[in-house]
Amino acid sequence: GAGVSQSPSNKVTEKGKDVELRCDPISGHTALYWYRQSLGQGLEFLIYFQGNSAPDKSGLPSDRFSAERTGGSVSTLTIQRTQQEDSAVYLCASSLFDGGGSEQYFGPGTRLTVT
Amino acid sequence: AQKITQTQPGMFVQEKEAVTLDCTYDTSDPSYGLFWYKQPSSGEMIFLIYQGSYDQQNATEGRYSLNFQKARKSANLVISASQLGDSAMYFCAMRESIRTGANSKLTFGKGITLSVRP
């Protein structure tokens, strides 16, 4: 079956512009996660969705970052007024359920470059 | 304090030999799970193996096994019979509060680069 998909695969934007990153989880997966991977910081958790609600937003680095999920499926991560330090690979993951050893399946990521 | 520590900066192994990738963790939660993921140069994160803190036996999954030493808080990944395709970055990760479900996120280590030599 289809895995987690993300779009765009690459995004170059100018500092100060807003960007939207999209994630399509595996069908039927109720839990969805956003992480970011950068050279200096490794892999960092951003936000977690269970259905359409976000019980854990603790990893969002600033109020410029927001995310939503609709219909228990697609999620969009929005970064407003992008800064150069936002440059990273943004990874989305989904899991069948939330709990225990339920592994998270990752998408290919969106590489964001802020110039 | 770091929750997941992977101190080996880069590892080399000869094809067909076994290799151990180290991971130590820090938590006061009695209920946690440990995961290993592989990230090849293409960038995708591939789940390899899982060990729960209450599991009585070490996890195994094909050529992958997890040497889980709870008292030492280590969860080393053992790859047997290395293949050229095993060359990748390997990440150890932890989820806490797995029984209550209060915490769903994964906390990752910095990763270890493994290179398999022919």
Side-chain angles (χ1 to χ4, degrees), chain B residues 10-38:
Chain B
M11 292 284 288
F12 293 88
V13 65
Q14 204 67 31
E15 195 178 7
K16 299 179 186 176
E17 292 185 351
V19 63
T20 298
L21 306 181
D22 295 342
C23 172
T24 58
Y25 58 92
D26 182 28
T27 182
S28 57
D29 191 328
S31 164
Y32 55 90
L34 298 156
F35 300 76
W36 277 91
Y37 282 84
K38 170 185 177 181

Side-chain angles (χ1 to χ4, degrees), chain A residues 31 33 35 37 40-45 48 56 58 91 95 97-108, chain B residues 33 35 37 39 42-47 50 89 91 95 97-99 101-110:
Chain A
Y33 311 80
Y35 296 87
Q37 185 174 25
Q41 300 298 321
L43 266 153
E44 305 171 280
F45 166 79
Y48 148 63
D56 190 351
S58 63
L91 293 164
S95 63
F97 62 94
D98 168 30
S102 180
E103 64 260 32
Q104 297 178 16
Y105 294 86
F106 282 79
Chain B
F35 300 76
Y37 282 84
Q39 187 177 42
S42 54
E44 75 269 32
M45 294 283 285
I46 302 166
F47 167 75
Y50 164 79
M89 180 84 86
F91 290 92
R95 167 189 278 164
S97 305
I98 58 173
R99 286 204 168 170
N103 183 356
S104 191
K105 67 184 179 189
L106 290 176
T107 301
F108 287 86
K110 296 291 187 186

